[in-house]
Amino acid sequence: AQSVTQLGSHVSVSEGALVLLRCNYSSSVPPYLFWYVQYPNQGLQLLLKYTSAATLVKGINGFEAEFKKSETSFHLTKPSAHMSDAAEYFCAVRRPSGNTPLVFGKGTRLSVIA
Amino acid sequence: EAQVTQNPRYLITVTGKKLTVTCSQNMNHEYMSWYRQDPGLGLRQIYYSMNVEATDKGDVPEGYKVSRKEKRNFPLILESPSPNQTSLYFCASSPWPSNTEAFFGQGTRLTVV
């Protein structure tokens, strides 16, 4: 079975500071990995995805994530936080083949302080 | 514009009164699914469908039904809602078999009193 652990249900950073949201996964096979963002009262929007190509993945809004197999991690980073980044972020995993659902982490709420 | 449309966005109902939440996508995706989102639990899959007339249970199917009579539509049915089904519901669709990205609707906030 696959699973995702997001460390920290709430992360607070100052505007302009580095954003680091942690995600560790468990999977018996090399997985596909995703980060989604959810703004208040909205659905989930894909930030970026890893599908076994380059291990450093760049997404929208200046976010990027690095797949590290040895650490089973897929942490999300952004060099400089903006007020508009305040949202909830979900890491998700699925097997690359077969009928397998997205398995989500419990989410990390990011607050950005002026 | 490619999108997944859910209706209604907000719904308050009473225990036992049947309701349907509609979901429609315009991307010709084969795969559709329903999730519920609860605080501290993330998103959990309720049901999914790999194509017309092909549906199956996800992780938390109890108390829910779905149907897939047309490729674009995937309604979620609560025959007898209970307060523990108060939640935020999302419909999602994906191309199949690539399934590399899920597109989500805006969500339906359901309250059962």
Side-chain angles (χ1 to χ4, degrees):
Chain A
Q2 298 174 294
S3 65
V4 170
T5 301
Q6 291 184 240
L7 297 175
S9 59
H10 186 204
V11 171
S12 186
V13 300
S14 298
E15 192 174 20
L18 171 72
V19 175
L20 171 60
L21 303 182
R22 299 177 188 274
C23 172
N24 288 90
Y25 69 90
S26 173
S27 178
S28 56
V29 298
Y32 286 172
L33 291 157
F34 306 82
W35 275 100
Y36 282 86
V37 60
Q38 183 182 29
Y39 298 105
N41 298 315
Q42 294 192 24
L44 279 73
Q45 179 184 4
L46 182 69
L47 268 179
L48 49 80
K49 61 184 177 185
Y50 167 77
T51 55
S52 72
T55 56
L56 181 62
V57 181
K58 294 188 185 298
I60 61 171
N61 301 337
F63 284 94
E64 63 181 38
E66 186 172 7
F67 171 68
K68 291 188 176 181
K69 184 179 178 181
S70 61
E71 299 177 9
T72 61
S73 69
F74 192 57
H75 302 329
L76 182 70
T77 60
K78 181 174 180 178
S80 176
H82 192 272
M83 297 298 288
S84 60
D85 294 326
E88 185 141 23
Y89 292 79
F90 292 94
C91 183
V93 64
R94 65 171 288 268
R95 291 168 64 109
S97 62
N99 173 27
T100 56
L102 277 172
V103 175
F104 285 88
K106 295 183 179 180
T108 297
R109 182 166 298 281
L110 175 67
S111 297
V112 182
I113 304 166
Chain B
E1 179 189 355
Q3 59 186 4
V4 178
T5 303
Q6 292 179 230
N7 280 296
R9 291 288 311 277
Y10 301 91
L11 179 60
I12 301 174
T13 190
V14 296
T15 299
K17 185 176 180 181
K18 181 179 178 180
L19 66 91
T20 299
V21 183
T22 64
C23 173
S24 181
Q25 51 96 2
N26 63 1
M27 294 168 279
N28 202 35
H29 287 165
E30 293 79 9
Y31 191 96
M32 298 185 73
S33 57
W34 277 101
Y35 292 84
R36 62 177 288 174
Q37 181 183 8
D38 301 290
L41 296 178
L43 283 84
R44 295 176 292 168
Q45 192 182 55
I46 303 170
Y47 267 94
Y48 65 90
S49 169
M50 292 175 63
N51 215 323
V52 175
E53 302 293 0
T55 64
D56 211 341
K57 297 177 180 178
D59 296 322
V60 288
E62 292 76 22
Y64 304 95
K65 285 175 56 178
V66 292
S67 69
R68 188 91 182 271
K69 293 183 169 58
E70 304 166 285
K71 195 173 187 179
R72 64 182 291 126
N73 296 323
F74 190 46
L76 179 70
I77 303 156
L78 284 72
E79 295 269 4
S80 182
S82 62
N84 64 12
Q85 293 178 297
T86 293
S87 187
L88 180 59
Y89 292 86
F90 287 101
C91 180
S93 75
S94 309
W96 187 263
S98 63
N99 203 9
T100 53
E101 179 178 347
F103 294 81
F104 285 81
Q106 295 285 78
T108 296
R109 185 167 294 281
L110 172 66
T111 301
V112 183
V113 298

